[in-house]
């Protein structure tokens, strides 16, 4: 009697070779344990600065301004409105959105 034939498995099907994306690594667990042992101090609680500002994608900025994302991209590519490029990615800061809204105001 011959043993039953096994289906060949791909690398994704083999257990233990890939971990789920939301599962932390052991090294991450060690770091979080060390950080949780540390006592909080006043230096850790800094007020938000201009460097820690939120940047919006064109879709998020368009939703806030109630315009089409294509309009924002077109104007940003011609540098007609203030924007930021992080590498090749277009982003907008809060001050950029305020300035864009101010450009359209009429006296």
């Amino acid at each position: 009697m011959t043993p039953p034939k096994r289906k060949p498995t791909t690398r994704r099907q083999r257990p233990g070779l890939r971990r789920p994306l939301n599962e932390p690594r052991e090294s991450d667990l060690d770091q979080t344990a060390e950080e949780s042992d540390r006592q909080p101090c006043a230096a850790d609680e800094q007020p938000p600065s201009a460097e820690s500002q939120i940047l919006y994608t064109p879709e998020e900025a368009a939703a806030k301004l109630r315009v089409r994302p294509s309009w924002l991209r077109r104007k940003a590519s011609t540098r007609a409105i203030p924007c930021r490029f992080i590498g090749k990615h277009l982003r907008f800061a809060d001050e950029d959105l305020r300035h864009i809204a101010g450009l359209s105001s009429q006296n």
Side-chain angles (χ1 to χ4, degrees), residues 45-76:
E45 300 171 9
Q46 297 176 354
S49 64
E51 297 171 349
S52 65
Q53 62 186 343
I54 295 176
L55 296 177
Y56 300 101
T57 64
E59 289 76 19
E60 294 168 339
K64 285 183 155 285
L65 293 171
R66 297 181 185 223
V67 297
R68 291 184 177 200
S70 60
W71 181 85
L72 275 179
R73 285 193 187 94
R74 188 169 11 97
K75 293 292 186 178

Side-chain angles (χ1 to χ4, degrees), residues 17-29:
L17 290 181
R18 295 207 175 208
R19 63 178 179 78
L21 292 176
N22 58 356
E23 183 179 307
R25 295 185 176 121
E26 287 182 28
S27 60
D28 294 340
L29 293 174

Side-chain angles (χ1 to χ4, degrees), residues 59-100:
E59 289 76 19
E60 294 168 339
K64 285 183 155 285
L65 293 171
R66 297 181 185 223
V67 297
R68 291 184 177 200
S70 60
W71 181 85
L72 275 179
R73 285 193 187 94
R74 188 169 11 97
K75 293 292 186 178
S77 67
T78 61
R79 304 298 196 269
I81 58 173
C83 62
R84 290 137 203 259
F85 284 94
I86 301 181
K88 63 178 182 177
H89 302 286
L90 176 63
R91 296 293 183 260
F92 296 91
D94 283 326
E95 62 189 45
D96 297 337
L97 299 181
R98 283 192 292 275
H99 190 266
I100 294 168

